mmCIF file of all heavy atoms in Angstrom:
data_model
loop_
_atom_site.group_PDB
_atom_site.id
_atom_site.type_symbol
_atom_site.label_atom_id
_atom_site.label_comp_id
_atom_site.label_asym_id
_atom_site.label_seq_id
_atom_site.Cartn_x
_atom_site.Cartn_y
_atom_site.Cartn_z
ATOM 1 N N SER E 1 -4.755 -3.752 12.921
ATOM 2 C CA SER E 1 -4.773 -2.337 12.501
ATOM 3 C C SER E 1 -3.639 -2.037 11.539
ATOM 4 O O SER E 1 -3.802 -1.269 10.575
ATOM 5 C CB SER E 1 -4.684 -1.425 13.729
ATOM 6 O OG SER E 1 -5.805 -1.603 14.573
ATOM 7 N N VAL E 2 -2.481 -2.651 11.755
ATOM 8 C CA VAL E 2 -1.356 -2.495 10.826
ATOM 9 C C VAL E 2 -1.701 -3.134 9.485
ATOM 10 O O VAL E 2 -1.466 -2.553 8.420
ATOM 11 C CB VAL E 2 -0.064 -3.107 11.404
ATOM 12 C CG1 VAL E 2 1.091 -2.930 10.420
ATOM 13 C CG2 VAL E 2 0.303 -2.463 12.740
ATOM 14 N N LEU E 3 -2.281 -4.317 9.535
ATOM 15 C CA LEU E 3 -2.650 -5.011 8.297
ATOM 16 C C LEU E 3 -3.617 -4.188 7.461
ATOM 17 O O LEU E 3 -3.483 -4.116 6.230
ATOM 18 C CB LEU E 3 -3.310 -6.360 8.632
ATOM 19 C CG LEU E 3 -2.370 -7.464 9.122
ATOM 20 C CD1 LEU E 3 -3.186 -8.630 9.659
ATOM 21 C CD2 LEU E 3 -1.444 -7.919 8.020
ATOM 22 N N LEU E 4 -4.573 -3.528 8.091
ATOM 23 C CA LEU E 4 -5.536 -2.745 7.334
ATOM 24 C C LEU E 4 -4.909 -1.482 6.718
ATOM 25 O O LEU E 4 -5.241 -1.102 5.608
ATOM 26 C CB LEU E 4 -6.728 -2.369 8.209
ATOM 27 C CG LEU E 4 -7.859 -3.388 8.251
ATOM 28 C CD1 LEU E 4 -9.047 -2.842 8.982
ATOM 29 C CD2 LEU E 4 -8.265 -3.859 6.863
ATOM 30 N N ALA E 5 -4.010 -0.844 7.455
ATOM 31 C CA ALA E 5 -3.334 0.322 6.874
ATOM 32 C C ALA E 5 -2.568 -0.083 5.617
ATOM 33 O O ALA E 5 -2.597 0.628 4.595
ATOM 34 C CB ALA E 5 -2.391 0.946 7.903
ATOM 35 N N TYR E 6 -1.917 -1.243 5.683
ATOM 36 C CA TYR E 6 -1.157 -1.704 4.505
ATOM 37 C C TYR E 6 -2.071 -2.270 3.437
ATOM 38 O O TYR E 6 -1.687 -2.309 2.247
ATOM 39 C CB TYR E 6 -0.084 -2.697 4.932
ATOM 40 C CG TYR E 6 1.171 -1.994 5.415
ATOM 41 C CD1 TYR E 6 1.336 -1.659 6.757
ATOM 42 C CD2 TYR E 6 2.163 -1.646 4.518
ATOM 43 C CE1 TYR E 6 2.465 -0.969 7.182
ATOM 44 C CE2 TYR E 6 3.299 -0.971 4.940
ATOM 45 C CZ TYR E 6 3.451 -0.632 6.261
ATOM 46 O OH TYR E 6 4.570 0.039 6.684
ATOM 47 N N SER E 7 -3.279 -2.686 3.803
ATOM 48 C CA SER E 7 -4.236 -3.105 2.793
ATOM 49 C C SER E 7 -4.603 -1.942 1.880
ATOM 50 O O SER E 7 -4.830 -2.110 0.663
ATOM 51 C CB SER E 7 -5.508 -3.666 3.451
ATOM 52 O OG SER E 7 -5.234 -4.868 4.131
ATOM 53 N N ARG E 8 -4.661 -0.749 2.450
ATOM 54 C CA ARG E 8 -4.909 0.457 1.660
ATOM 55 C C ARG E 8 -3.807 0.649 0.629
ATOM 56 O O ARG E 8 -4.058 0.984 -0.540
ATOM 57 C CB ARG E 8 -5.011 1.666 2.588
ATOM 58 C CG ARG E 8 -5.417 2.954 1.883
ATOM 59 C CD ARG E 8 -5.553 4.100 2.884
ATOM 60 N NE ARG E 8 -6.719 3.929 3.754
ATOM 61 C CZ ARG E 8 -6.651 3.699 5.070
ATOM 62 N NH1 ARG E 8 -5.460 3.599 5.669
ATOM 63 N NH2 ARG E 8 -7.753 3.557 5.779
ATOM 64 N N ALA E 9 -2.575 0.419 1.041
ATOM 65 C CA ALA E 9 -1.447 0.539 0.108
ATOM 66 C C ALA E 9 -1.517 -0.519 -0.993
ATOM 67 O O ALA E 9 -1.248 -0.244 -2.169
ATOM 68 C CB ALA E 9 -0.129 0.418 0.880
ATOM 69 N N ILE E 10 -1.887 -1.744 -0.622
ATOM 70 C CA ILE E 10 -2.004 -2.819 -1.613
ATOM 71 C C ILE E 10 -3.040 -2.445 -2.681
ATOM 72 O O ILE E 10 -2.830 -2.622 -3.873
ATOM 73 C CB ILE E 10 -2.420 -4.128 -0.927
ATOM 74 C CG1 ILE E 10 -1.283 -4.662 -0.059
ATOM 75 C CG2 ILE E 10 -2.809 -5.185 -1.964
ATOM 76 C CD1 ILE E 10 -1.683 -5.866 0.769
ATOM 77 N N TYR E 11 -4.171 -1.914 -2.225
ATOM 78 C CA TYR E 11 -5.217 -1.490 -3.146
ATOM 79 C C TYR E 11 -4.696 -0.451 -4.140
ATOM 80 O O TYR E 11 -4.962 -0.536 -5.342
ATOM 81 C CB TYR E 11 -6.379 -0.930 -2.323
ATOM 82 C CG TYR E 11 -7.496 -0.323 -3.140
ATOM 83 C CD1 TYR E 11 -8.418 -1.120 -3.797
ATOM 84 C CD2 TYR E 11 -7.619 1.064 -3.245
ATOM 85 C CE1 TYR E 11 -9.449 -0.554 -4.550
ATOM 86 C CE2 TYR E 11 -8.645 1.637 -3.979
ATOM 87 C CZ TYR E 11 -9.549 0.824 -4.630
ATOM 88 O OH TYR E 11 -10.561 1.385 -5.379
ATOM 89 N N ARG E 12 -3.918 0.478 -3.645
ATOM 90 C CA ARG E 12 -3.388 1.542 -4.515
ATOM 91 C C ARG E 12 -2.343 1.003 -5.473
ATOM 92 O O ARG E 12 -2.278 1.422 -6.648
ATOM 93 C CB ARG E 12 -2.825 2.661 -3.639
ATOM 94 C CG ARG E 12 -3.918 3.445 -2.918
ATOM 95 C CD ARG E 12 -3.370 4.357 -1.851
ATOM 96 N NE ARG E 12 -4.421 5.235 -1.303
ATOM 97 C CZ ARG E 12 -4.257 6.038 -0.258
ATOM 98 N NH1 ARG E 12 -3.081 6.070 0.387
ATOM 99 N NH2 ARG E 12 -5.252 6.789 0.162
ATOM 100 N N LEU E 13 -1.491 0.096 -5.001
ATOM 101 C CA LEU E 13 -0.488 -0.491 -5.876
ATOM 102 C C LEU E 13 -1.133 -1.336 -6.969
ATOM 103 O O LEU E 13 -0.698 -1.321 -8.126
ATOM 104 C CB LEU E 13 0.489 -1.355 -5.063
ATOM 105 C CG LEU E 13 1.408 -0.591 -4.114
ATOM 106 C CD1 LEU E 13 2.231 -1.575 -3.287
ATOM 107 C CD2 LEU E 13 2.337 0.347 -4.879
ATOM 108 N N ALA E 14 -2.184 -2.086 -6.596
ATOM 109 C CA ALA E 14 -2.888 -2.897 -7.588
ATOM 110 C C ALA E 14 -3.511 -2.019 -8.665
ATOM 111 O O ALA E 14 -3.518 -2.365 -9.864
ATOM 112 C CB ALA E 14 -3.944 -3.748 -6.903
ATOM 113 N N ASP E 15 -4.036 -0.865 -8.234
ATOM 114 C CA ASP E 15 -4.640 0.074 -9.178
ATOM 115 C C ASP E 15 -3.612 0.573 -10.180
ATOM 116 O O ASP E 15 -3.938 0.837 -11.341
ATOM 117 C CB ASP E 15 -5.285 1.224 -8.403
ATOM 118 C CG ASP E 15 -6.104 2.139 -9.285
ATOM 119 O OD1 ASP E 15 -6.998 1.617 -9.981
ATOM 120 O OD2 ASP E 15 -5.852 3.357 -9.276
ATOM 121 N N LYS E 16 -2.357 0.687 -9.728
ATOM 122 C CA LYS E 16 -1.277 1.136 -10.619
ATOM 123 C C LYS E 16 -0.620 -0.011 -11.380
ATOM 124 O O LYS E 16 0.356 0.174 -12.091
ATOM 125 C CB LYS E 16 -0.207 1.864 -9.791
ATOM 126 C CG LYS E 16 -0.666 3.170 -9.160
ATOM 127 C CD LYS E 16 0.463 3.784 -8.347
ATOM 128 C CE LYS E 16 0.027 5.091 -7.701
ATOM 129 N NZ LYS E 16 1.112 5.683 -6.870
ATOM 130 N N LYS E 17 -1.115 -1.242 -11.134
ATOM 131 C CA LYS E 17 -0.562 -2.448 -11.735
ATOM 132 C C LYS E 17 0.895 -2.683 -11.324
ATOM 133 O O LYS E 17 1.705 -3.202 -12.095
ATOM 134 C CB LYS E 17 -0.705 -2.396 -13.263
ATOM 135 C CG LYS E 17 -2.165 -2.388 -13.731
ATOM 136 C CD LYS E 17 -2.257 -2.361 -15.238
ATOM 137 C CE LYS E 17 -3.672 -2.624 -15.744
ATOM 138 N NZ LYS E 17 -4.753 -2.026 -14.960
ATOM 139 N N ASP E 18 1.210 -2.310 -10.113
ATOM 140 C CA ASP E 18 2.538 -2.562 -9.543
ATOM 141 C C ASP E 18 2.492 -3.916 -8.827
ATOM 142 O O ASP E 18 2.429 -4.022 -7.608
ATOM 143 C CB ASP E 18 2.907 -1.441 -8.577
ATOM 144 C CG ASP E 18 4.335 -1.556 -8.038
ATOM 145 O OD1 ASP E 18 5.027 -2.540 -8.413
ATOM 146 O OD2 ASP E 18 4.751 -0.691 -7.263
ATOM 147 N N PHE E 19 2.509 -4.981 -9.645
ATOM 148 C CA PHE E 19 2.247 -6.320 -9.135
ATOM 149 C C PHE E 19 3.500 -6.933 -8.499
ATOM 150 O O PHE E 19 4.614 -6.457 -8.671
ATOM 151 C CB PHE E 19 1.719 -7.219 -10.244
ATOM 152 C CG PHE E 19 0.459 -6.713 -10.900
ATOM 153 C CD1 PHE E 19 0.387 -6.557 -12.277
ATOM 154 C CD2 PHE E 19 -0.642 -6.364 -10.120
ATOM 155 C CE1 PHE E 19 -0.782 -6.099 -12.874
ATOM 156 C CE2 PHE E 19 -1.810 -5.890 -10.716
ATOM 157 C CZ PHE E 19 -1.878 -5.757 -12.095
ATOM 158 N N GLY E 20 3.277 -8.046 -7.785
ATOM 159 C CA GLY E 20 4.386 -8.759 -7.151
ATOM 160 C C GLY E 20 4.225 -8.771 -5.644
ATOM 161 O O GLY E 20 3.274 -8.228 -5.080
ATOM 162 N N CYS E 21 5.179 -9.424 -5.003
ATOM 163 C CA CYS E 21 5.173 -9.502 -3.530
ATOM 164 C C CYS E 21 5.954 -8.315 -2.953
ATOM 165 O O CYS E 21 7.035 -7.979 -3.441
ATOM 166 C CB CYS E 21 5.783 -10.828 -3.078
ATOM 167 S SG CYS E 21 5.642 -11.119 -1.306
ATOM 168 N N LYS E 22 5.412 -7.724 -1.929
ATOM 169 C CA LYS E 22 6.027 -6.578 -1.271
ATOM 170 C C LYS E 22 6.247 -6.892 0.212
ATOM 171 O O LYS E 22 5.633 -7.812 0.752
ATOM 172 C CB LYS E 22 5.121 -5.337 -1.377
ATOM 173 C CG LYS E 22 4.494 -5.089 -2.724
ATOM 174 C CD LYS E 22 5.510 -4.736 -3.789
ATOM 175 C CE LYS E 22 4.809 -4.458 -5.125
ATOM 176 N NZ LYS E 22 5.791 -4.157 -6.200
ATOM 177 N N THR E 23 7.088 -6.085 0.844
ATOM 178 C CA THR E 23 7.191 -6.053 2.294
ATOM 179 C C THR E 23 7.017 -4.599 2.731
ATOM 180 O O THR E 23 6.911 -3.700 1.890
ATOM 181 C CB THR E 23 8.562 -6.578 2.797
ATOM 182 O OG1 THR E 23 9.585 -5.602 2.520
ATOM 183 C CG2 THR E 23 8.908 -7.913 2.155
ATOM 184 N N VAL E 24 7.017 -4.363 4.015
ATOM 185 C CA VAL E 24 6.863 -2.986 4.513
ATOM 186 C C VAL E 24 7.978 -2.081 4.008
ATOM 187 O O VAL E 24 7.797 -0.860 3.931
ATOM 188 C CB VAL E 24 6.783 -2.942 6.048
ATOM 189 C CG1 VAL E 24 5.532 -3.635 6.550
ATOM 190 C CG2 VAL E 24 8.023 -3.543 6.684
ATOM 191 N N PHE E 25 9.134 -2.659 3.647
ATOM 192 C CA PHE E 25 10.237 -1.849 3.139
ATOM 193 C C PHE E 25 9.927 -1.217 1.789
ATOM 194 O O PHE E 25 10.534 -0.216 1.410
ATOM 195 C CB PHE E 25 11.502 -2.699 2.995
ATOM 196 C CG PHE E 25 12.045 -3.270 4.274
ATOM 197 C CD1 PHE E 25 12.665 -4.491 4.295
ATOM 198 C CD2 PHE E 25 11.936 -2.559 5.478
ATOM 199 C CE1 PHE E 25 13.179 -5.015 5.474
ATOM 200 C CE2 PHE E 25 12.439 -3.078 6.654
ATOM 201 C CZ PHE E 25 13.064 -4.314 6.657
ATOM 202 N N ASP E 26 8.993 -1.784 1.059
ATOM 203 C CA ASP E 26 8.706 -1.336 -0.301
ATOM 204 C C ASP E 26 7.577 -0.325 -0.389
ATOM 205 O O ASP E 26 7.291 0.171 -1.485
ATOM 206 C CB ASP E 26 8.326 -2.553 -1.159
ATOM 207 C CG ASP E 26 9.372 -3.645 -1.133
ATOM 208 O OD1 ASP E 26 10.541 -3.328 -1.413
ATOM 209 O OD2 ASP E 26 9.031 -4.797 -0.820
ATOM 210 N N ILE E 27 6.941 -0.023 0.729
ATOM 211 C CA ILE E 27 5.722 0.801 0.718
ATOM 212 C C ILE E 27 6.012 2.216 1.196
ATOM 213 O O ILE E 27 6.493 2.417 2.332
ATOM 214 C CB ILE E 27 4.640 0.167 1.609
ATOM 215 C CG1 ILE E 27 4.390 -1.289 1.222
ATOM 216 C CG2 ILE E 27 3.369 0.996 1.540
ATOM 217 C CD1 ILE E 27 3.902 -1.499 -0.181
ATOM 218 N N ALA E 28 5.709 3.201 0.362
ATOM 219 C CA ALA E 28 5.879 4.593 0.772
ATOM 220 C C ALA E 28 4.861 4.921 1.868
ATOM 221 O O ALA E 28 3.702 4.512 1.774
ATOM 222 C CB ALA E 28 5.667 5.519 -0.412
ATOM 223 N N PRO E 29 5.273 5.637 2.919
ATOM 224 C CA PRO E 29 4.357 5.908 4.032
ATOM 225 C C PRO E 29 3.040 6.561 3.626
ATOM 226 O O PRO E 29 1.992 6.251 4.203
ATOM 227 C CB PRO E 29 5.181 6.838 4.944
ATOM 228 C CG PRO E 29 6.604 6.470 4.666
ATOM 229 C CD PRO E 29 6.636 6.131 3.206
ATOM 230 N N ALA E 30 3.077 7.426 2.619
ATOM 231 C CA ALA E 30 1.860 8.120 2.217
ATOM 232 C C ALA E 30 0.795 7.156 1.702
ATOM 233 O O ALA E 30 -0.409 7.462 1.771
ATOM 234 C CB ALA E 30 2.177 9.173 1.152
ATOM 235 N N LEU E 31 1.193 5.989 1.208
ATOM 236 C CA LEU E 31 0.234 5.032 0.684
ATOM 237 C C LEU E 31 -0.615 4.390 1.779
ATOM 238 O O LEU E 31 -1.650 3.812 1.510
ATOM 239 C CB LEU E 31 0.953 3.927 -0.103
ATOM 240 C CG LEU E 31 1.628 4.335 -1.409
ATOM 241 C CD1 LEU E 31 2.297 3.131 -2.055
ATOM 242 C CD2 LEU E 31 0.629 4.985 -2.367
ATOM 243 N N LEU E 32 -0.164 4.519 3.032
ATOM 244 C CA LEU E 32 -0.922 3.926 4.150
ATOM 245 C C LEU E 32 -2.073 4.799 4.600
ATOM 246 O O LEU E 32 -2.991 4.330 5.252
ATOM 247 C CB LEU E 32 0.007 3.724 5.356
ATOM 248 C CG LEU E 32 1.312 2.954 5.156
ATOM 249 C CD1 LEU E 32 2.071 2.871 6.452
ATOM 250 C CD2 LEU E 32 1.032 1.569 4.610
ATOM 251 N N SER E 33 -2.010 6.076 4.264
ATOM 252 C CA SER E 33 -2.940 7.046 4.847
ATOM 253 C C SER E 33 -4.129 7.320 3.942
ATOM 254 O O SER E 33 -3.993 7.432 2.728
ATOM 255 C CB SER E 33 -2.200 8.360 5.123
ATOM 256 O OG SER E 33 -3.105 9.338 5.598
ATOM 257 N N PRO E 34 -5.308 7.510 4.541
ATOM 258 C CA PRO E 34 -6.463 7.947 3.758
ATOM 259 C C PRO E 34 -6.383 9.430 3.385
ATOM 260 O O PRO E 34 -7.168 9.907 2.556
ATOM 261 C CB PRO E 34 -7.654 7.664 4.675
ATOM 262 C CG PRO E 34 -7.089 7.760 6.052
ATOM 263 C CD PRO E 34 -5.683 7.230 5.949
ATOM 264 N N LEU E 35 -5.456 10.152 4.001
ATOM 265 C CA LEU E 35 -5.318 11.596 3.747
ATOM 266 C C LEU E 35 -4.604 11.850 2.423
ATOM 267 O O LEU E 35 -3.775 11.053 1.986
ATOM 268 C CB LEU E 35 -4.554 12.262 4.874
ATOM 269 C CG LEU E 35 -5.148 12.160 6.288
ATOM 270 C CD1 LEU E 35 -4.255 12.851 7.298
ATOM 271 C CD2 LEU E 35 -6.560 12.731 6.323
ATOM 272 N N SER E 36 -4.905 12.991 1.819
ATOM 273 C CA SER E 36 -4.223 13.386 0.575
ATOM 274 C C SER E 36 -2.815 13.876 0.887
ATOM 275 O O SER E 36 -2.477 14.152 2.039
ATOM 276 C CB SER E 36 -5.005 14.506 -0.102
ATOM 277 O OG SER E 36 -4.927 15.698 0.674
#
């Protein structure tokens, strides 16, 4: 379930072309949520 929440963030970062390797430290919490 954690992996899927962060998969949503990966999808959004890829859309912005923010490439490279990330960890949970690099991900803004809002990117995990399906909510606006």
Side-chain angles (χ1 to χ4, degrees):
S1 297
V2 180
L3 286 170
L4 273 188
Y6 277 90
S7 293
R8 186 177 290 113
I10 291 173
Y11 174 77
R12 290 168 172 172
L13 291 175
D15 188 54
K16 295 179 180 178
K17 297 181 168 38
D18 186 358
F19 302 127
C21 188
K22 316 293 181 182
T23 73
V24 294
F25 297 147
D26 305 307
I27 307 299
L31 293 180
L32 307 180
S33 176
L35 301 179
S36 69

